[in-house]
């Protein structure tokens, strides 16, 4: 596992990008922790593609998900792999840069305040 906290430059870039994508979306110093759900993140690396199913089950049984997981795939990936994701209620999206990973936004409360954390799951080779 690896972890990170988004650095301030990337945070500002994301706020600008989100604002350009949706003019009605307002992100302020008072609400950015609810609006930006990947301020903190964990990347889980596994060896074989089939290992994902056990990790998926653990994540979905342990935390409340803010939204359906998103499985990013590369053009040319097999239908069998894509079917594995859709059977587990993932939103499946082709990534234009060929990035492969499954992203979860989970709700957690390490303190009295509710927080969102992004969990990325991918093979060590991806």
């Amino acid at each position: 596992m690896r972890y990170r906290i988004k650095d301030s430059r990337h945070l500002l870039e994301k706020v600008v990008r989100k604002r350009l994508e949706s003019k009605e979306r307002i992100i302020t110093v008072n609400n950015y922790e609810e609006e930006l759900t990947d301020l903190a993140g964990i990347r889980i690396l596994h060896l074989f593609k089939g290992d994902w199913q056990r990790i998926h089950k653990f994540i979905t049984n342990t935390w409340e998900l803010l939204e359906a997981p998103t499985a990013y795939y590369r053009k040319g990936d097999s239908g069998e792999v894509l079917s594995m994701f859709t059977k587990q209620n993932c939103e499946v999206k082709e990534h234009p840069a060929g990035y492969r990973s499954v992203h979860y936004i989970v709700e957690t409360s390490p303190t009295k305040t509710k927080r969102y954390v992004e969990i990325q799951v991918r093979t060590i080779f991806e």
Side-chain angles (χ1 to χ4, degrees):
M1 284 193 186
R2 294 184 183 178
Y3 67 91
R4 62 122 175 102
I5 296 178
K6 190 176 285 299
D7 76 33
S8 56
R9 190 180 99 240
H10 289 132
L11 175 61
L12 291 172
E13 289 171 357
K14 184 162 196 163
V15 168
V16 169
R17 188 173 64 250
K18 294 286 184 187
R19 181 76 170 114
L20 291 173
E21 290 172 359
S22 178
K23 301 281 188 216
E24 60 277 346
R25 189 172 189 182
I26 305 298
I27 302 173
T28 69
V29 71
N30 296 322
N31 73 356
Y32 75 95
E33 291 178 332
E34 291 84 32
E35 290 290 324
L36 304 176
T37 56
D38 64 345
L39 293 174
I42 298 170
R43 180 170 289 160
I44 300 172
L45 303 174
H46 56 93
L47 192 55
F48 300 107
K49 288 180 183 179
D51 295 339
W52 169 79
Q53 292 178 353
R54 279 194 329 239
I55 296 166
H56 173 79
K57 184 176 180 180
F58 175 78
I59 291 170
T60 57
N61 287 337
T62 303
W63 290 284
E64 291 295 323
L65 301 182
L66 179 63
E67 56 194 33
T70 302
Y72 293 100
Y73 71 94
R74 179 180 295 167
K75 184 176 182 152
D77 282 350
S78 74
E80 182 180 325
V81 170
L82 302 181
S83 176
M84 176 179 65
F85 295 134
T86 56
K87 286 179 183 174
Q88 296 298 325
N89 300 316
C90 294
E91 183 178 344
V92 180
K93 292 183 180 179
E94 181 181 343
H95 196 280
Y99 176 80
R100 289 182 179 129
S101 185
V102 182
H103 292 205
Y104 302 81
I105 305 297
V106 301
E107 182 182 306
T108 187
S109 298
T111 63
K112 292 180 181 181
T113 306
K114 175 177 64 176
R115 301 283 185 223
Y116 296 110
V117 175
E118 180 181 63
I119 302 174
Q120 298 177 4
V121 180
R122 57 193 319 198
T123 72
I124 197 165
F125 303 108
E126 295 167 331

